[in-house]
Amino acid sequence: MHEYADVIVIGAGTTGCSIAWHLVQAGLSVRLLDKGAIASGSSGASPGIVRQYYADPALSQLAGQGVRDYRDWSQHYPGECGYRPTGFLTAISRQEQQTTEANVALLQAHGAAVRWLSPAEAQVLVPDLRTDGLVGVVHEPDAGYCDPIRTAQSFATGARSGGAVIEEGRAVRRIICRAGRVAGVQTDSGFIASSYVVNAAGPWAAVLATDCRVPLPISATRQCVGIVTVASPDQDQLMPGYGDRSAGFYLRPDSPGTYFIGSLLASDSYAIDPDAFDRSMSNATVCSYRDRAVTRLGRLEGAQPLGRRVSFFDSTPDGNPIVGADPRMPGLIVAAGLSGHGFKFAPLFGQGIAHWVMKGQVPQSLALFAMERFLR
């Protein structure tokens, strides 16, 4: 007799684990499969930043719900996500000013905790902020960061408690489709039947979808984060997270005097094979990221390399995730192509997929992530 589950979820990152938990809460039998371990892919290497402000107001409103979910984690989910409130500053150049001020006003009208600060006001929060060329920043006091591994494990523990079967080290080789709809998956140790399969396999999602003749526009791109420590951590002032597209970097604080610095330059990211790519990052490269950040933050002058995280994004052409039913194959649901946004939205994606399985439609708030935008 074949194994069976109401829903099979492929991929045990934060998104896949969230989906499994929400499906179990809806009363469904679930199998969560991963060829590795929980959060062993890009989720485990994520800086775990949770913030709200985006240039797209619809994306900002959705991200705001994600911030609230992480901030109020214990009210909704089992275990801990490791949320630490730091606030976040998004630097704004002159060409972005008019659009940004309008977006901030719109978000405030919807109750979002965001505000526009002048360069002088920003320096009150961060005295060593170098504001040359900036007309202001967007401040999000509720933003912060979490521990992605603890977050995924929290979802997974709750899913198991609700009856989900989670199999680490069981690889899905193919999504099986029969008579024009999903029938289950073939794994490295046998077939599992199901009427619904959620493809949350990150960059491997595209390969699995191709087997069903429903290709996905997803590719893997290499991403690096350098970790540095300042000379006198005991004298280091509290610092919010910070993003600066014109300067080409983002940053989040960690333990006192320690900072994670990532790149916002397209030249630092390139297509890779997620099964075989260079996972090294030299101290010289970490220092080059630091030097980019020094143009804005004086405290980082002379900061020393402490570590690095090298991983990948599963990216789409428009930089937004694909979440929802694939209209070309009944029973197939996609939650991939997360483009670096997956952690921020993981609770919402879980809620949305469970809603679709139970009600036959994705909440309107997730409509901007529909697969249909690539099929027109």
Side-chain angles (χ1 to χ4, degrees):
M1 180 179 292
H2 293 308
E3 299 175 88
Y4 175 82
D6 292 333
V7 187
I8 296 169
V9 181
I10 309 170
T14 49
T15 295
C17 290
S18 171
I19 292 167
W21 186 85
H22 283 90
L23 289 169
V24 164
Q25 293 298 301
L28 299 165
S29 65
V30 177
R31 296 289 282 270
L32 174 60
L33 309 174
D34 197 291
K35 66 178 181 178
I38 291 171
S40 60
S42 58
S43 289
S46 169
I49 296 171
V50 289
R51 62 179 181 86
Q52 176 170 4
Y53 182 75
Y54 286 89
D56 182 341
L59 207 59
S60 290
Q61 291 181 39
L62 195 61
Q65 180 58 54
V67 171
R68 291 189 290 275
D69 279 357
Y70 284 113
R71 184 193 62 197
D72 304 328
W73 188 264
S74 62
Q75 297 178 28
H76 308 288
Y77 305 110
E80 298 291 338
C81 67
Y83 168 73
R84 288 187 59 187
T86 61
F88 198 91
L89 301 176
T90 300
I92 305 299
S93 61
R94 186 163 300 282
Q95 57 265 38
E96 302 169 300
Q97 181 177 5
Q98 185 173 359
T99 300
T100 302
E101 289 181 330
N103 283 349
V104 167
L106 177 63
L107 292 170
Q108 288 175 334
H110 284 87
V114 297
R115 57 179 181 149
W116 172 268
L117 299 181
S118 69
E121 290 171 326
Q123 286 176 322
V124 173
L125 287 178
V126 185
D128 61 322
L129 180 64
R130 294 164 172 167
T131 60
D132 296 351
L134 297 183
V135 294
V137 302
V138 177
H139 179 219
E140 305 174 53
D142 289 342
Y145 69 92
C146 302
D147 182 326
I149 296 177
R150 289 175 67 189
T151 301
Q153 290 173 340
S154 171
F155 279 131
T157 298
R160 277 199 187 99
S161 297
V165 176
I166 300 177
E167 296 184 78
E168 300 172 75
R170 188 171 186 181
V172 173
R173 300 305 183 192
R174 291 186 63 196
I175 298 172
I176 304 300
C177 303
R178 296 172 181 159
R181 67 161 294 117
V182 162
V185 301
Q186 183 66 42
T187 76
D188 53 5
S189 58
F191 175 71
I192 307 174
S194 181
S195 297
Y196 297 100
V197 171
V198 181
N199 187 355
W204 297 280
V207 175
L208 293 170
T210 299
D211 286 340
C212 296
R213 299 182 181 178
V214 287
L216 296 173
I218 295 172
S219 60
T221 56
R222 185 174 184 268
Q223 304 291 328
C224 298
V225 173
I227 306 171
V228 302
T229 183
V230 301
S232 301
D234 57 328
Q235 299 177 19
D236 191 50
Q237 295 178 314
L238 292 175
M239 170 77 199
Y242 181 84
D244 194 320
R245 192 159 294 280
S246 62
F249 78 97
Y250 68 88
L251 168 150
R252 79 149 170 87
D254 194 66
S255 56
T258 302
Y259 297 90
F260 285 43
I261 306 172
S263 173
L264 292 175
L265 296 183
S267 57
D268 288 326
S269 175
Y270 52 86
I272 56 162
D273 176 352
D275 290 312
F277 69 99
D278 181 7
R279 290 181 176 270
S280 65
M281 183 183 187
S282 68
N283 280 348
T285 302
V286 175
C287 287
S288 72
Y289 281 29
R290 174 206 63 195
D291 292 345
R292 203 179 299 170
V294 165
T295 63
R296 290 296 184 207
L297 296 162
R299 75 184 66 198
L300 296 178
E301 290 184 5
Q304 294 300 302
L306 184 64
R308 68 273 300 142
R309 292 185 179 181
V310 181
S311 187
F312 51 79
F313 286 169
D314 48 317
S315 300
T316 65
D318 65 3
N320 279 329
I322 302 172
V323 179
D326 191 320
R328 300 166 295 178
M329 182 57 63
L332 182 60
I333 305 167
V334 183
L338 304 181
S339 305
H341 303 317
F343 185 78
K344 299 178 187 69
F345 298 121
L348 306 180
F349 291 163
Q351 295 166 25
I353 296 301
H355 189 274
W356 187 90
V357 173
M358 297 301 293
K359 305 290 187 181
Q361 60 183 13
V362 172
Q364 185 59 37
S365 60
L366 297 183
L368 71 163
F369 300 134
M371 180 67 207
E372 281 84 346
R373 72 188 192 274
F374 293 116
L375 304 178
R376 300 186 183 103

